[in-house]
Amino acid sequence: RVTEHFSAADGAYTATLNELFSDGTDIDGKLTLTVEDISDVNFAPECGDVIKWSSTVSINELVSADGVNASSVRSDIRYYAYAEYTDIVYVSEGEPYALESLRLGLRNKLTDGMGEQTGAVAFGMIAGDRYLIGDEVTEAFAGAGIGHILAVSGLHIGLAAMLVAALLSKVGVPPAARAAAITATLLLYTLFTGGSPSAVRAFVMCAIALWARYFGFNDRLNSLCAAGTVCLTISPFYLFECGFLMSMGSVYGLIAF
């Protein structure tokens, strides 16, 4: 089954697939499939469609002698495969799930209104999804020192919290109900953006700060450690992911120094 992550460019179709079956056997995890030489054919399955093909599937080693592939653990992409168009047995149409439809709707609105490249960058800034952003653009952002804008973190969570707080304050929502509404909104936004370590860390710290007045304390280092504990409970492999280490380390530096 094709997820929302698919593209057809430069004569190749690439998609992340879930709900995998191999020779009729249910397989855990996701797979990245690249179908080459599609320039002369109309081949571009969309989110929800089901693809059946025949080719060699390779294992994406999550833990090896060289280390831990933590980003693949988080995305659950355990396999990859290359195929020719002639290897495709059939494609059946399907429907995207609710969250996929929401993300695709936003992505399409942005790309239709702003152009493919600019819309992809805008979607990346909002959702932390860089799937459609080319390597050249990503490297340009990194070279300018603003690559973190494309990764959902404290900046995004803080802006979302301020916007919701300002709106609820204007309509006279009581403080406790306002804190509950902001927490729920931030949780939904964190899930919408894929739950990256930096987003989870920012969400937990923001939620603790929101409810501190009701519990009588707000120690920033304890909030940071609580956020790290939640992240590592979700996936201990975060400990080997650069994004988690940089998020925790940079915030610790801000607090300590």
Side-chain angles (χ1 to χ4, degrees):
R1 179 184 177 278
V2 179
T3 68
E4 66 191 273
H5 292 142
F6 65 91
S7 65
D10 301 325
Y13 172 84
T14 304
T16 299
L17 310 178
N18 62 5
E19 301 180 17
L20 306 175
F21 286 85
S22 176
D23 295 329
T25 302
D26 190 3
I27 304 296
D28 292 333
K30 299 177 182 178
L31 177 146
T32 297
L33 173 67
T34 300
V35 182
E36 301 171 326
D37 299 328
I38 63 166
S39 301
D40 299 327
V41 296
N42 183 21
F43 182 80
E46 298 185 350
C47 182
D49 293 350
V50 175
I51 302 176
K52 183 176 181 180
W53 81 97
S54 176
S55 72
T56 300
V57 174
S58 301
I59 296 175
N60 185 18
E61 291 193 50
L62 303 181
V63 181
S64 65
D66 298 326
V68 177
N69 189 346
S71 60
S72 292
V73 172
R74 176 160 58 86
S75 60
D76 201 27
I77 297 177
R78 305 187 189 184
Y79 313 94
Y80 60 93
Y82 295 89
E84 302 291 337
Y85 177 72
T86 53
D87 296 325
I88 306 300
V89 177
Y90 73 82
V91 177
S92 62
E93 293 185 0
E95 295 293 330
Y97 296 144
L99 184 58
E100 291 173 334
S101 293
L102 185 62
R103 288 169 58 92
L104 284 170
L106 175 60
R107 188 177 77 183
N108 292 337
K109 285 280 188 184
L110 293 171
T111 53
D112 290 344
M114 306 172 69
E116 191 71 30
Q117 180 170 289
T118 307
V121 171
F123 183 68
M125 289 180 176
I126 296 170
D129 190 331
R130 289 174 281 185
Y131 190 79
L132 294 180
I133 301 176
D135 293 338
E136 184 177 342
V137 176
T138 302
E139 290 171 4
F141 270 82
I146 55 174
H148 60 281
I149 292 177
L150 300 176
V152 175
S153 61
L155 173 68
H156 302 71
I157 298 294
L159 284 173
M162 287 193 298
L163 287 172
V164 176
L167 178 62
L168 296 178
S169 180
K170 280 188 176 294
V171 297
V173 176
R178 192 159 65 234
I182 295 171
T183 302
T185 302
L186 295 183
L187 176 59
L188 291 174
Y189 180 59
T190 302
L191 295 174
F192 174 80
T193 58
S196 67
S198 56
V200 174
R201 190 269 309 157
F203 163 69
V204 173
M205 293 190 70
C206 191
I208 291 174
L210 283 169
W211 292 97
R213 70 168 71 183
Y214 303 101
F215 294 103
F217 69 92
N218 181 23
D219 181 87
R220 289 173 295 177
L221 280 177
N222 276 333
S223 298
L224 177 63
C225 290
T229 300
V230 170
C231 288
L232 293 175
T233 301
I234 294 172
S235 174
F237 284 97
Y238 280 166
L239 191 60
F240 302 93
E241 188 164 353
C242 185
F244 172 77
L245 298 175
M246 291 183 68
S247 180
M248 296 293 293
S250 60
V251 174
Y252 172 77
L254 290 170
I255 294 171
F257 301 106

